[in-house]
Amino acid sequence: MTRSRRYALLLVVAVGAVAMMFPFLWTVVTSITPDGSLADGPTLFVQDPTLDAYRRLFDTLPMFRIIANSVLVAVACTALQLLTGSMAGYAFARLEFRGKGVVFAGYLATLMVPLQVLVVPLFIQFRDWNLHDTMFALIAPAAASAFGVFLLRQAIEAVPREFDEAATLDGAGHLRIFALVVLPLIRPALATTGILAFMASWNSFLWPLVVIRSPEFQTLPLGLATLQGQFTTRWDVVMAGSVVSIVPIALVYLFAQRHVIAGVSHTGLK
């Protein structure tokens, strides 16, 4: 690649990065704009910045409880998806049983079913069990993920079977091979699955909106929707809530970014 093409590519990448960062920067700037004024349109410069919007946000909504609910649900869903996904991935990658290919194909076919199709049956089921409007209702539907099973199965397939054979000669069964041999070798894929599961749970809105009625079980997306309904003209408060919601998940992704890249590359995904 010539120097001129390299510089042109860097310019295109820089312009794309600025274009993608602008909404986030505008959100932060708007959250510190006095009185939430947007009369001058989007801008990255503000006179007399203030944190009044954040104080109003925490005075209006029980943000600490809402954030705690989101953290609890996201951590529980992530842990369950890692457990179920790794165990199912090991079964599909290492165990031989009749109809394995058909079962795996059927399991992957569920990826084509959108959540909107499942919301009503899921709600009826949880209502009949008298489990709606509970933390369990927020966590249970996300306890397993077909994409997580696929990703971890691909990672386990990449682990040489010679390691399994050596462990078997030492007297290890499937459980010990899974826990002591396979899991340590697929840590990048586990990290990738965990980050994706955490982000999906953290940003989930439709299912909590349908199944939750009590304010004490609200998660961040529901709280922000309520906030926007109360402050349709106070955009500084709305944007402050958006910043509070974005910052934790952004930090989690930044710290785990190298694991995500390694996990995707090791599993052969593009």
Side-chain angles (χ1 to χ4, degrees):
M1 181 181 294
T2 62
R3 180 175 299 180
S4 59
R5 289 186 178 180
R6 186 181 298 110
Y7 287 154
L9 180 60
L10 290 176
L11 179 61
V12 171
V13 172
V15 171
V18 171
M20 295 184 67
M21 286 298 298
F22 179 79
F24 300 102
L25 295 176
W26 181 54
T27 299
V28 175
V29 170
T30 305
S31 69
I32 60 176
T33 301
D35 299 325
S37 176
L38 297 178
D40 298 331
T43 179
L44 295 181
F45 303 98
V46 57
Q47 294 181 351
D48 301 324
T50 177
L51 296 178
D52 288 340
Y54 291 91
R55 286 190 287 267
R56 188 178 182 90
L57 171 67
F58 280 84
D59 290 340
T60 303
L61 293 178
M63 288 300 296
F64 291 107
R65 186 184 65 199
I66 291 175
I67 293 173
N69 290 342
S70 290
V71 171
L72 174 62
V73 172
V75 170
C77 292
T78 301
L80 288 172
Q81 285 193 30
L82 289 177
L83 177 64
T84 58
S86 59
M87 294 179 69
Y90 180 84
F92 283 123
R94 289 295 194 262
L95 303 184
E96 296 297 332
F97 53 90
R98 182 176 299 178
K100 181 175 72 171
V102 176
V103 174
F104 185 66
Y107 201 69
L108 289 183
T110 61
L111 289 172
M112 296 183 290
V113 182
L115 176 62
Q116 291 82 354
V117 176
L118 303 175
V119 163
V120 174
L122 277 176
F123 176 78
I124 294 175
Q125 186 176 26
F126 278 93
R127 184 199 60 188
D128 293 342
W129 291 347
N130 199 28
L131 291 174
H132 66 292
D133 198 23
T134 61
M135 279 292 182
F136 180 81
L138 291 174
I139 297 172
S145 168
F147 179 76
V149 172
F150 169 73
L151 190 68
L152 294 175
R153 183 248 189 188
Q154 294 297 102
I156 295 173
E157 285 279 8
V159 176
R161 291 180 179 268
E162 287 78 6
F163 294 158
D164 299 21
E165 296 171 358
T168 302
L169 292 176
D170 290 337
H174 283 295
L175 184 59
R176 290 183 61 187
I177 294 174
F178 168 72
L180 302 180
V181 177
V182 173
L183 287 185
L185 295 175
I186 62 168
R187 282 179 295 183
L190 290 172
T192 303
T193 305
I195 292 300
L196 295 177
F198 190 90
M199 293 176 64
S201 177
W202 186 269
N203 296 321
S204 178
F205 175 74
L206 179 59
W207 175 242
L209 178 66
V210 171
V211 78
I212 294 299
R213 291 293 179 269
S214 302
E216 59 266 24
F217 295 134
Q218 280 188 343
T219 56
L220 267 171
L222 292 184
L224 294 182
T226 304
L227 180 69
Q228 189 170 1
Q230 293 177 350
F231 299 99
T232 54
T233 57
R234 289 298 306 269
W235 289 107
D236 56 339
V237 181
V238 175
M239 294 302 178
S242 299
V243 171
V244 172
S245 176
I246 291 171
V247 168
I249 194 66
L251 292 176
V252 170
Y253 180 78
L254 287 175
F255 281 117
Q257 183 180 14
R258 63 186 183 91
H259 297 292
V260 174
I261 296 174
V264 172
S265 61
H266 288 171
T267 52
L269 298 178
K270 300 294 184 184

